[in-house]
């Protein structure tokens, strides 16, 4: 899936969190978005995922405008979302949490489910099989039938990723997935993201950890104060003067001296 973000803006009370941001994620590419705190990364993520509405600009997937579509409609088009904060459904097992992710793509429909028709049961069996496979892939196979709220934080984050993968996304949005993870968990996550990229899944990774990004990304877009200040391959971003200035607090172009990521 190809994602195009063209001059997208979002203001809150007259203050722009994102202003005239443009980027393109080609099919099979992993594009990272980085920047200091308050740069607008999470706002941009929510504008693409549909959790926030843009004030201006264009957002397209495979040439189809989605800026005015709600989040659930974007999910049906193949956009999967993994949020920064772990979001789980309490009172449900880990497997049931993951199964929720696939229900937007079921074939049987509401009527079959309400009447408990055979098509509904077939869908449920298929979805559970997919959910168990996704739990296994994210290292959670042993948690399948445990209450989701019993999972430690790192495993709750992995559960979100398993849920997104269960929907078989064509574009996966990841908002700081490594935040709060221990070193071993970060390594496992990096390996899984690398595998997904190798399989051709298009991904947009919003991340604060620059080292994590530089290991994984094909292309990097850097935001500061809601605007794009640099874009290119990781090697070029590492040495870009504007990026260095923004992170070290020496930027002359509108960023207060001494501010840090």
């Amino acid at each position: 899936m190809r994602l195009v973000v063209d001059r997208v803006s979002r203001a809150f009370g007259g203050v722009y969190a994102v202003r005239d941001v443009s980027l393109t994620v080609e099919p099979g590419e992993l594009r990272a978005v980085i920047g200091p705190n308050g740069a607008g990364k999470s706002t941009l993520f929510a504008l693409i995922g549909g959790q926030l509405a843009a004030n201006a600009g264009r957002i397209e997937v495979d040439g189809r405008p989605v800026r005015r579509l709600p989040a659930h409609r974007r999910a049906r088009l193949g956009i999967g979302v993994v949020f920064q904060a772990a979001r789980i459904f309490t009172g449900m097992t880990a497997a049931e949490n993951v199964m929720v992710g696939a229900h937007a793509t079921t074939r049987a429909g509401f009527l079959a489910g309400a009447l408990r028709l055979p098509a509904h049961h077939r869908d449920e069996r298929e979805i559970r099989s997919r959910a168990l496979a996704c739990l296994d892939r994210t290292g959670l196979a042993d948690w399948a039938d445990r209450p989701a709220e019993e999972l430690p934080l790192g495993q709750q984050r992995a559960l979100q990723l398993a849920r997104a993968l269960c929907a078989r996304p064509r574009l996966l949005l990841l908002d700081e997935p490594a935040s709060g993870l221990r070193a071993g968990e970060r390594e496992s996550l990096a390996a899984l993201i690398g595998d997904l990229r190798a399989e051709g899944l298009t991904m947009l990774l919003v991340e604060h950890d620059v080292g994590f990004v530089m290991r994984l990304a094909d292309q990097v877009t850097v935001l500061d104060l809601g605007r794009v200040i640099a874009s290119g391959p990781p090697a070029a971003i590492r040495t870009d003067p504007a990026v260095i200035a923004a992170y070290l607090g020496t930027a002359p172009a509108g960023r207060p001296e001494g501010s840090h990521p």
Side-chain angles (χ1 to χ4, degrees):
M1 177 176 279
R2 186 173 192 261
L3 169 69
V4 174
V5 177
D6 182 33
R7 298 182 64 84
V8 165
S9 297
R10 170 70 193 215
F12 297 93
V15 177
Y16 280 94
V18 168
R19 189 162 193 168
D20 293 332
V21 168
S22 297
L23 61 85
T24 298
V25 188
E26 298 294 347
E29 178 182 283
L30 195 165
R31 163 81 59 163
V33 177
I34 65 172
N37 285 338
K41 303 185 299 296
S42 290
T43 299
L44 176 63
F45 179 93
L47 295 175
I48 296 169
Q51 291 74 41
L52 285 175
N55 298 133
R58 178 172 58 97
I59 302 174
E60 292 184 353
V61 292
D62 284 345
R64 174 171 179 168
V66 298
R67 179 187 144 195
R68 301 187 186 280
L69 294 182
H72 72 275
R73 293 278 303 280
R74 301 188 200 196
R76 285 187 175 274
L77 293 176
I79 299 177
V81 180
V82 178
F83 297 99
Q84 180 180 357
R87 299 185 178 187
I88 62 169
F89 299 102
T90 59
M92 300 171 63
T93 66
E96 289 167 342
N97 264 263
V98 175
M99 290 172 69
V100 169
H103 278 287
T105 63
T106 56
R107 298 184 300 272
F110 173 78
L111 182 61
L115 298 177
R116 314 298 289 182
L117 296 179
H120 167 75
H121 293 295
R122 285 195 300 271
D123 264 353
E124 287 297 302
R125 287 194 298 271
E126 179 187 339
I127 290 171
R128 180 169 176 82
S129 177
R130 282 162 54 183
L132 293 177
C134 291
L135 284 169
D136 183 57
R137 186 161 200 189
T138 53
L140 297 176
D142 292 341
W143 291 87
D145 295 315
R146 300 267 300 271
E149 58 266 28
E150 293 183 1
L151 274 69
L153 175 61
Q155 281 66 41
Q156 288 185 12
R157 289 185 177 278
L159 186 67
Q160 276 203 113
L161 178 54
R163 184 192 302 149
L165 293 177
C166 194
R168 294 175 175 167
R170 297 166 55 220
L171 169 64
L172 183 62
L173 309 179
L174 299 154
D175 189 9
E176 301 204 22
S179 176
L181 298 186
R182 298 188 294 268
E185 294 169 335
R186 282 172 178 255
E187 288 301 314
S188 296
L189 176 63
L192 177 55
I193 292 175
D195 288 345
L196 293 171
R197 182 183 60 177
E199 292 168 11
L201 179 61
T202 308
M203 287 180 279
L204 180 74
L205 170 65
V206 173
E207 184 52 64
H208 189 80
D209 185 334
V210 177
F212 186 83
V213 163
M214 295 301 179
R215 293 170 52 192
L216 295 169
D218 299 303
Q219 296 288 321
V220 181
T221 294
V222 187
L223 297 183
D224 190 28
L225 299 174
R227 293 182 179 272
V228 175
I229 61 169
S231 190
I237 295 299
R238 286 181 187 275
T239 57
D240 189 289
V243 176
I244 295 170
Y247 271 101
L248 297 180
T250 57
R255 186 172 187 83
E257 187 77 22
S259 57
H260 297 279

